[in-house]
Amino acid sequence: MTQKLEFASEPWVEMVRSVLEELVAEHGQQGRAFSVCEVFTEAPVSIAEGGVVAWHFYIDGRTVCVGSGDVDDTDVKIRADYTETLPNARLVYTPEILADQAQNPPTHTTVQVEGDVSLMPEYLIEMHNQMAVLTA
């Protein structure tokens, strides 16, 4: 069994890099770019001494750049509480779960989303699912 990685930690971001590099090389489209920054508050001291941890990626065609840290020049920026996000980070999104979430969006959440998430390439669901099973 593969060792699980603490959500949003440096080893987790490195694994995301590996997963995204493969997916973008296979599914990326020339001329299509998309970027995201996720910022998590109330993160454990083990990964964020100040309580805030962030990571980001930039897809451009069939290449991707992944890094740690909070950046402001992405298409989508997500801010959320670490503990509130963790169950979703570990959830594998089946078509049924995605359909249910689309029909029944959460009524109480502190997640803040800036930008148009609908522009997200569909293969990023696969990135999420691969990381979900590796996330501690």
Side-chain angles (χ1 to χ4, degrees):
M1 181 176 155
T2 303
Q3 178 182 351
K4 295 211 175 204
L5 305 169
E6 190 170 18
F7 178 56
S9 66
E10 284 297 325
W12 185 91
V13 172
E14 286 304 312
M15 182 59 74
V16 169
R17 179 188 326 275
S18 175
V19 169
L20 268 176
E21 285 174 350
E22 287 184 27
L23 289 170
V24 170
E26 182 178 348
H27 301 288
Q29 298 173 347
Q30 285 305 111
R32 185 165 184 198
F34 184 74
S35 56
V36 171
C37 178
E38 292 185 329
V39 180
F40 302 105
T41 58
E42 305 301 323
V45 174
S46 59
I47 62 168
E49 285 186 26
V52 176
V53 66
W55 76 285
H56 57 271
F57 66 84
Y58 300 88
I59 295 170
D60 186 3
R62 291 185 179 258
T63 62
V64 63
C65 178
V66 178
S68 295
D70 186 355
V71 296
D72 290 323
D73 62 344
T74 55
D75 298 315
V76 172
K77 185 146 191 180
I78 299 169
R79 294 183 188 278
D81 178 83
Y82 185 94
T83 304
E84 180 183 340
T85 302
L86 199 50
N88 283 330
R90 295 174 177 153
L91 179 65
V92 173
Y93 291 135
T94 64
E96 296 79 14
I97 288 172
L98 291 171
D100 182 61
Q101 288 182 347
Q103 289 181 340
N104 305 300
T107 55
H108 174 71
T109 182
T110 60
V111 176
Q112 299 171 352
V113 179
E114 299 170 16
D116 189 352
V117 179
S118 71
L119 299 175
M120 178 181 82
E122 287 186 24
Y123 61 83
L124 291 181
I125 296 293
E126 179 59 25
M127 181 269 304
H128 171 88
N129 285 345
Q130 286 186 38
M131 291 307 301
V133 297
L134 298 174
T135 299

